[in-house]
Amino acid sequence: MEIVENIFVKNGLIFAFLCVGVIMLLSYWISNQLMRKRIPDVAIAIIIGLGLAFLGDKKGIADFPLFSGMALLGGSMLRDFSIVATAMGADLNKIKQAGWAGVIALFVGIFISFFVGGIFAYYMGYTDAENLTTIAAGACTYIVGPVTGSALGVSSDVIAISVAAGVVKTIVATIFTPLIAKKIQLDNPHAAIVFGGLIGSTSGVVAGLAATDTKLVPYGALTATFFTGLGCLLCPSVFYLSLKFML
Amino acid sequence: MKIYGVALLAGCFLLGKLMGNLLGKLIQINNDIGGVGFAMLLLMGTSFYLRKRGWLNTESETGIRFWSAIYIPIVVAMAATLNVTAAITGGAVALLAGAGATIAGMALVPLLSKIGKTKNDSPIKNKAHGDR
C-alpha cells in the first residue's frame, strides 16, 4: 500500500491526469444517463471539482499530499497556457459570417454580464476593484473569472466564487433557453448568432440551443467561441481600470 | 513537428504576459492587464500569417490543438484546488451574478437581433423542438 501511495505522490501530475479523466468520464455519464443532457457535462465536472475542493482547506483537495498534483495541473500557468491555445480554433474569417449583429452582441454581452455581475457583487460587500472585477468577470464565463482573478492577484476564495458564477450561468442558459426561446424570438440563425454573443458561455449556449432547436447550435457557437477570449482581454484591462478609477 | 506548434504557443503566451505586465507597470498598477487576451490575439495573428505563408502545417497545429482540447480538464483541476470552504459565504453572490448576467443577456436578444436582419432570417420550421 505504501509503495502505491508513494508512486502516486511522486508522480502527482500524472495522477492528477488520471483523476481529472475519471471526473470527466463520470460527469459525462451523469449528464447523458441521469440528466439526459439537461445540464452540460462540463458544468457537472466543474461542480464535482468544486465539491472535491470542499474536502480540503485553503488549497482544496491539493491539501492532501496524494492530490497535490492537482494544484500543478490546475495552477494558473497551465490554465492560462491552455486557454491561450483555444484561440487557435477561433477563425478570424468566421467573424465575418457573424456580421455586425454578432460583433455588437459580443461586446454588449461581455459588458452586460460584467455590469450585472458587478452590481450584485458590489451590493453584497465586494467593494474593492480587484475582487469586484474578478466576480464580475466570472459572470462572463467560468474561464474569464479565474484568468482575471489570478492576473489581479485576488485570493483563492474569490476566484472560487467567480468560477461558481460562471457555472451558474452555464446551467441557467441550458435550462432557461428552451423555455424562453419563443419569447425572445430565438428561432432563426440570426437570433442564434446574437444569442451566442450575448450569453457567451460556450457550453451553456450549445446545450441551451440544442434543447431548443439543434439547427441553431452552430450559429450560437460561432459567436460564443470568441466570447471568452474577448472577455480575457477586456475584463482585466479596460473594465478593471474603469472600475479602479470609479471606486 | 508538433513541438513547433507548442513552441509558437509558448512564445505567444510569454509575449502576451509580458505585454500585460508592462502595460500594468506603465499605468502604475502592478498587475497583469489583459496578458492572456494579448497572447490569444498574438496566436490568432501569427497562426493566420504563418498558415497563409504555408509555414504552419497540420502537424504543428496538433501541438496547439492538444492544449486547447485539454483546457476544460485543467479548469476542473483548478476548481478542485480552490479555497471553496472560505468561498461558501459568497455562494449567494455567485448565484445572483451568474443568473442575473444570463437573464440580462437573454432579454437583449430581441433588441440586438434587429441589427442587420434580412428577410431570409425567418424562423426555422421543424416540429422536433421544445419536447425535451
Side-chain angles (χ1 to χ4, degrees):
Chain A
M1 200 57 216
E2 209 171 274
I3 303 172
V4 176
E5 207 180 313
N6 250 329
I7 291 174
F8 285 176
V9 172
K10 268 189 184 160
N11 302 291
L13 180 61
I14 311 297
F15 182 54
F17 281 128
L18 177 67
C19 291
V20 175
V22 171
I23 296 174
M24 296 305 294
L25 191 69
L26 186 70
S27 36
Y28 180 79
W29 183 80
I30 294 174
S31 171
N32 281 276
Q33 302 294 322
L34 295 182
M35 307 254 186
R36 295 188 177 187
K37 294 185 182 173
R38 262 171 224 267
I39 295 178
D41 52 348
V42 177
I44 294 172
I46 296 174
I47 291 170
I48 294 178
L50 289 172
L52 288 175
F54 243 124
L55 304 173
D57 191 33
K58 283 204 172 72
K59 285 192 284 174
I61 200 167
D63 279 326
F64 300 101
L66 183 60
F67 295 102
S68 58
M70 294 287 268
L72 196 56
L73 182 60
S76 65
M77 180 174 69
L78 287 182
R79 187 200 58 210
D80 289 358
F81 190 62
S82 66
I83 288 164
V84 171
T86 60
M88 198 66 190
D91 188 350
L92 281 174
N93 290 321
K94 287 251 171 82
I95 200 74
K96 280 182 202 149
Q97 284 175 31
W100 277 111
V103 174
I104 293 169
L106 270 169
F107 280 95
V108 173
I110 292 169
F111 177 76
I112 202 86
S113 297
F114 189 89
F115 185 74
V116 173
I119 282 189
F120 280 118
Y122 185 82
Y123 281 105
M124 295 185 82
Y126 296 88
T127 46
D128 67 292
E130 286 79 17
N131 288 342
L132 195 54
T133 306
T134 304
I135 298 174
C140 294
T141 69
Y142 50 75
I143 313 278
V144 184
V147 166
T148 305
S150 356
L152 302 179
V154 307
S155 64
S156 176
D157 55 317
V158 176
I159 292 182
I161 294 171
S162 79
V163 174
V167 172
V168 169
K169 187 180 204 183
T170 301
I171 294 173
V172 171
T174 308
I175 295 172
F176 280 86
T177 306
L179 299 178
I180 65 160
K182 263 208 182 114
K183 226 177 196 139
I184 59 172
Q185 295 142 38
L186 183 58
D187 52 12
N188 59 78
H190 185 74
I193 284 174
V194 168
F195 175 78
L198 281 169
I199 304 298
S201 158
T202 315
S203 43
V205 166
V206 168
L209 288 177
T212 309
D213 183 345
T214 42
K215 284 193 191 116
L216 298 176
V217 172
Y219 300 99
L222 179 70
T223 34
T225 30
F226 290 95
F227 190 97
T228 290
L230 198 58
C232 289
L233 187 67
L234 291 177
C235 290
S237 58
V238 185
F239 290 174
Y240 165 62
L241 295 175
S242 327
L243 271 181
K244 185 111 184 146
F245 287 117
M246 274 194 289
L247 294 168
Chain B
M1 285 237 282
K2 291 184 182 70
I3 187 65
Y4 296 154
V6 182
L8 173 69
L9 173 59
C12 293
F13 174 82
L14 292 172
L15 202 61
K17 283 266 174 185
L18 186 69
M19 286 162 75
N21 278 291
L22 283 179
L23 187 63
K25 265 260 169 358
L26 205 70
I27 48 179
Q28 284 166 0
I29 295 166
N30 281 332
N31 282 321
D32 174 2
I33 306 292
V36 170
F38 289 133
M40 288 172 109
L41 287 180
L42 282 171
L43 183 65
M44 276 164 89
T46 45
S47 64
F48 182 75
Y49 176 79
L50 292 174
R51 214 179 287 143
K52 222 173 165 182
R53 294 225 144 187
W55 290 348
L56 190 71
N57 54 23
T58 35
E59 176 86 8
S60 307
E61 269 188 49
T62 36
I64 302 174
R65 293 211 183 273
F66 168 75
W67 284 101
S68 140
I70 208 173
Y71 89 94
I72 289 289
I74 286 179
V75 168
V76 172
M78 175 199 70
T81 52
L82 290 171
N83 191 353
V84 175
T85 327
I88 204 69
T89 43
V93 182
L95 214 60
L96 289 171
T102 320
I103 289 162
M106 286 175 172
L108 284 172
V109 172
L111 185 71
L112 288 182
S113 292
K114 286 189 184 136
I115 304 166
K117 198 170 166 74
T118 53
K119 269 186 199 144
N120 52 20
D121 288 326
S122 51
I124 292 178
K125 289 215 168 32
N126 73 353
K127 54 247 151 313
H129 69 260
D131 58 348
R132 272 167 293 174

